[in-house]
Amino acid sequence: MSPAIRVKSRKELHRTRRHQAHRCWGHLLAAPLWPLHGANLGTLLRTCDAVGACLAVPPFRWVDEALARGNTLRRPGCVHRIGNPSDWLTAERAAGSRIVGVELADEAVRLADLPAARQRTVIVLGHESTGIPPDALDLLDLAVEIPMVGTGHSLNVAVAGSLVLYKLAGLL
């Protein structure tokens, strides 16, 4: 008797996936601008690749090493290196990008209610303990909250960013 669920073979998966890294589409950008743990950046880059998004990273010296640590992609992902986070967000907003922050806020939209992105969208991810700095909160067009029923304070930046990226990419 054969199983009811047939798992795709590596060959089948290879045929359905891209053979090259996607070019910069500029539609979705995950922006962990105040990361606490660098190990999560490489993992978030893998999610960006999976959904066709780019990663915008701050100008810290340790970012390259952090990207390499959790990244198992065989080809380079799309990484934008930015300067001052607040200046970059201001410029993105002025250029017409929608700025969505992942933050616990009274006005936040629940992740389940977040519609897919219809324009260039930047997903801002704050520090895992302190969140998005107050001066950057004023630059957000929308805050999205990931509901949690456990006792943890927050999700790590890779998990939170991945959930929001999949939702905004219209893949959930």
Side-chain angles (χ1 to χ4, degrees):
M1 182 159 103
S2 65
I5 296 175
R6 188 183 71 80
V7 177
K8 291 182 181 182
S9 70
R10 281 184 151 312
K11 191 174 184 178
E12 289 173 307
L13 288 173
H14 182 72
R15 267 197 312 263
T16 62
R17 302 274 165 77
R18 295 181 164 278
H19 299 284
Q20 298 177 12
H22 69 82
R23 60 179 170 66
C24 180
W25 294 329
H27 181 64
L28 285 176
L29 290 100
L33 302 179
W34 303 274
L36 174 61
H37 301 295
N40 295 317
L41 295 183
T43 303
L44 185 57
L45 181 59
R46 288 169 42 203
T47 300
C48 287
D49 177 74
V51 302
C54 300
L55 185 67
V57 295
F60 304 138
R61 278 183 257 133
W62 52 265
V63 165
D64 288 335
E65 180 185 329
L67 286 171
R69 215 174 312 147
N71 179 10
T72 60
L73 297 174
R74 293 182 179 167
R75 292 173 175 71
C78 182
V79 178
H80 298 246
R81 301 187 186 274
I82 65 150
N84 177 284
S86 293
D87 292 346
W88 180 75
L89 287 172
T90 299
E92 282 292 322
R93 193 168 195 212
S97 296
R98 185 172 188 215
I99 312 296
V100 177
V102 181
E103 189 62 82
L104 300 172
D106 290 339
E107 304 81 11
V109 171
R110 285 175 26 99
L111 180 62
D113 299 327
L114 185 66
R118 300 284 178 236
Q119 68 187 80
R120 181 178 169 100
T121 303
V122 175
I123 301 106
V124 179
L125 298 149
H127 188 279
E128 289 161 326
S129 293
T130 59
I132 298 171
D135 62 317
L137 288 173
D138 292 336
L139 299 171
L140 302 180
D141 294 308
L142 177 72
V144 61
E145 178 180 338
I146 301 170
M148 295 174 54
V149 296
T151 60
H153 175 66
S154 67
L155 298 171
N156 73 44
V157 73
V159 172
S162 295
L163 290 168
V164 176
L165 278 167
Y166 266 88
K167 187 70 172 155
L168 285 170
L171 298 174
L172 288 180

